[in-house]
Amino acid sequence: MSRPANSIEVGEVDLLPRDGRLVGWHLRALTPDEHPHRGLALGGWALGSEKPVLAVELLHRGHVVARAPADLPRADIAEAHPALPHAGRCGFELSLDLLASGEEIELEARAVLDPIDRVPIARLAARRPLQADAEAVTVVIPCFRQAHFLGEAIESVLAQTHPRIELIVVDDGSPDDVERVAGRYPGVRCLRQPNGGLAAARNAGLAAASGEFVLFLDADDRLLPEAVATGLRELGASPETEMAAGTWRLIGEEGEPVPAAAPEVPAQAYPALLESCFISTPAAVIYRRRLFQQIGGFDPSVSASADYDVYLKTAARFPVRLHGEVVAEYRRHGANMTRDPELIMSAEIAVLERQAPAVRDQPALREALEAGIARSRAYHGERMRALGGE
């Protein structure tokens, strides 16, 4: 395999035999000077014999993983085929993000003639080698009834600047086609299990993780490109810290920005967590994976607040690094805004009450715990009344 400067190794491109529907075609890997994309970048041309080629697609295991219109100027092709008026705009460039897994990805390129007709034009293999000196990070995405958002979540992981990420999607017995969506992205592992809830899905991903660090991304949220690198930097600044949490910004159902005040960053994690689960999305948090060997995984008995339980158990025993960097986008939409307030309140109070022994002899922390329980009852009680739950 050749190795262009963007670190993607590309094997020899095997151009397929001539097809009568095309006059000709060409495909090759582009260098970073030709195309700035940090992943796999390909370019070439495809000329239809009777009509323009609409686009060129890349497929992996039968799934379309990249697509680009074939409409870039190609003066050389126009000069070679003056009788074809569409020859002057038959060029294309397409790109594909690949995880740094070392796995060789086999790809097929095909020309799109119309909404139904496709012509295979080339085969190739590519891989993004592991960087042995980079920290290994696993991102786990549990998914249940969120396949329509899942692609955006996966793409936000593929866009990370950190060069060594393992991505595991856990299909928690979802009735929508999670596996099909995950399959569009080469290198993404998809685990399927009977529906067991969010905590059980996170635990399944955690059990399969190989990274030294782990981040849990809900399928309807997104990471910003520097999220993993920022989290690793914060953990590295404090080697005894097991968890680092940043901030987030709100987006709406279609990904549009939602005006909101920036989340506050408390001076100390544990007292603030006793008063409120101020971390709105798990995507803002990165952990050392070894932490879960000491505190256990996510508790399915309090699945609605299992992430809050982990934050509390961690902050009670270990230093927690809080920083103000925006690392995630937290999506507010109908499904998560109408979750059962009684269920959430019950789970929140259960995980808070577990902290009572730890704060029994510390008046300030005991007061924070009592305030947190009162806040949960008041907030979710008001939501229950608003939903007619009295």
Side-chain angles (χ1 to χ4, degrees), residues 1-15 26-32 34-35 37-43 58 94-98 102-109 122-129:
M1 284 194 167
S2 64
R3 188 172 196 174
N6 63 3
S7 83
I8 301 293
E9 296 180 349
V10 182
E12 183 177 350
V13 177
D14 180 19
L15 297 177
H26 186 68
L27 177 72
R28 66 180 179 86
L30 301 177
T31 69
E34 296 174 301
H35 195 289
H37 186 75
R38 71 182 185 90
L40 172 66
L42 301 170
L58 279 183
L94 51 76
S95 57
L96 176 66
D97 282 313
L98 295 177
E103 176 187 357
E104 185 173 291
I105 305 297
E106 294 184 354
L107 300 164
E108 178 184 294
R123 295 191 183 95
L124 69 150
R127 66 183 174 189
R128 187 177 180 193

Side-chain angles (χ1 to χ4, degrees), residues 39 47 60 161:
L47 181 61
H60 173 60
T161 59

